[in-house]
Amino acid sequence: MAVELSDILIRQARKDDLSALVAMFAADALGGHGDTTDPEAFPDYVRAFAAIESSPDQTLYVAERGGEVVGTFQTMVTTSLTSRGSSAMIIEAVQTRADMRGQGVGALMIEFAIAEAKGRGIGRVALTSNAIRKDAHCFYKRLGFKPSHLGFKMALK
């Protein structure tokens, strides 16, 4: 059954969305982020939410359908001296609930983020995707993103 996109509300996440968000991330076998629904870990998510919520340069969003969280993404705005001091919006942690994938929710979230960037006068959006997520890479390319950089990371813990 296809979702009518008019049924989807994208809004800023609230603290009472955390359980649904954590469950969505914990169910992601490919992510490899160590997310868990273990109650002992919940304070870590609460701390992270508070940091995001208090930042003027970060916003955590949810996609909601019928009062249920069905997707999420986070945006961060960064300004650099390169490109003559331009700003970019980075889109991170894009996740659609497993039973809602392939129904347009992810595209709606990305389109929303792009519109937010344009509305703020930001000329570039960027995102990263785990190298093993080949389907996600195809999805982002369909939306007009082009692979341009090779990313690296280092775990410090």
Side-chain angles (χ1 to χ4, degrees), residues 5-113:
L5 295 181
S6 62
D7 290 352
I8 303 295
L9 168 68
I10 296 179
R11 60 169 174 79
Q12 195 165 340
R14 299 183 296 252
K15 190 174 178 181
D16 63 352
D17 296 319
L18 276 178
S19 292
L21 294 173
V22 170
M24 201 179 334
F25 290 129
D28 178 15
L30 290 179
H33 298 288
D35 290 302
T36 178
T37 56
D38 182 338
E40 289 186 19
F42 200 71
D44 296 335
Y45 295 105
V46 172
R47 278 191 296 279
F49 180 84
I52 294 165
E53 186 178 46
S54 68
S55 171
D57 296 320
Q58 299 185 65
T59 307
L60 180 63
Y61 293 96
V62 297
E64 182 182 285
R65 180 173 187 239
E68 292 185 18
V69 173
V70 297
T72 188
F73 64 99
Q74 181 176 343
T75 61
M76 294 157 278
V77 176
T78 181
T79 301
S80 173
L81 286 177
T82 61
S83 299
R84 299 175 62 178
S86 68
S87 293
M89 179 178 281
I90 300 167
I91 304 169
E92 283 287 331
V94 179
Q95 188 81 31
T96 301
R97 202 172 70 190
D99 64 326
M100 297 295 292
R101 291 188 187 132
Q103 300 182 44
V105 176
L108 187 66
M109 292 189 301
I110 297 298
E111 289 166 8
F112 181 94

